[in-house]
Amino acid sequence: MPDFSSKGIASPRDLRRLREIYDELCAEYRLMPGDEKAEDLASATMNLFSRGVVDENEIRERLRQFLSQKPLRN
């Protein structure tokens, strides 16, 4: 069974799990919710899901790659 539903629409369960990944990565990278990099992370998280990436580990890995390559905006 996939980690998330695969219907292209996030269910409440999907949103909770995506939020957990977001919160985990914010803590790991010491991002404060509401700052620009955290907002970019939230957008990237939803973008991956909307493109059909539904494996939780793959989402985490891709987001870590995104965060390691993303320069801070001024």
Side-chain angles (χ1 to χ4, degrees), residues 12-46:
R13 179 178 174 267
D14 294 335
L15 291 174
R16 278 191 302 276
R17 294 185 83 183
L18 291 169
R19 178 61 190 244
E20 289 170 5
I21 292 169
Y22 168 83
D23 289 343
E24 175 186 323
L25 292 175
C26 279
E28 183 177 325
Y29 285 83
R30 296 185 173 139
L31 303 177
M32 296 301 296
D35 73 19
E36 291 181 78
K37 196 160 186 177
E39 288 181 13
D40 291 343
L41 174 61
S43 294
T45 303
M46 293 309 296

Side-chain angles (χ1 to χ4, degrees), residues 45-63:
T45 303
M46 293 309 296
N47 185 281
L48 284 172
F49 181 81
S50 68
R51 290 188 333 205
V53 180
V54 295
D55 179 79
E56 204 170 309
N57 291 324
E58 184 176 357
I59 291 172
R60 277 190 187 88
E61 182 58 33
R62 287 191 185 195
L63 291 173

Side-chain angles (χ1 to χ4, degrees), residues 60-72:
R60 277 190 187 88
E61 182 58 33
R62 287 191 185 195
L63 291 173
R64 284 185 179 112
Q65 290 172 0
F66 170 79
L67 288 168
S68 68
Q69 296 173 4
K70 182 98 178 111
L72 287 174

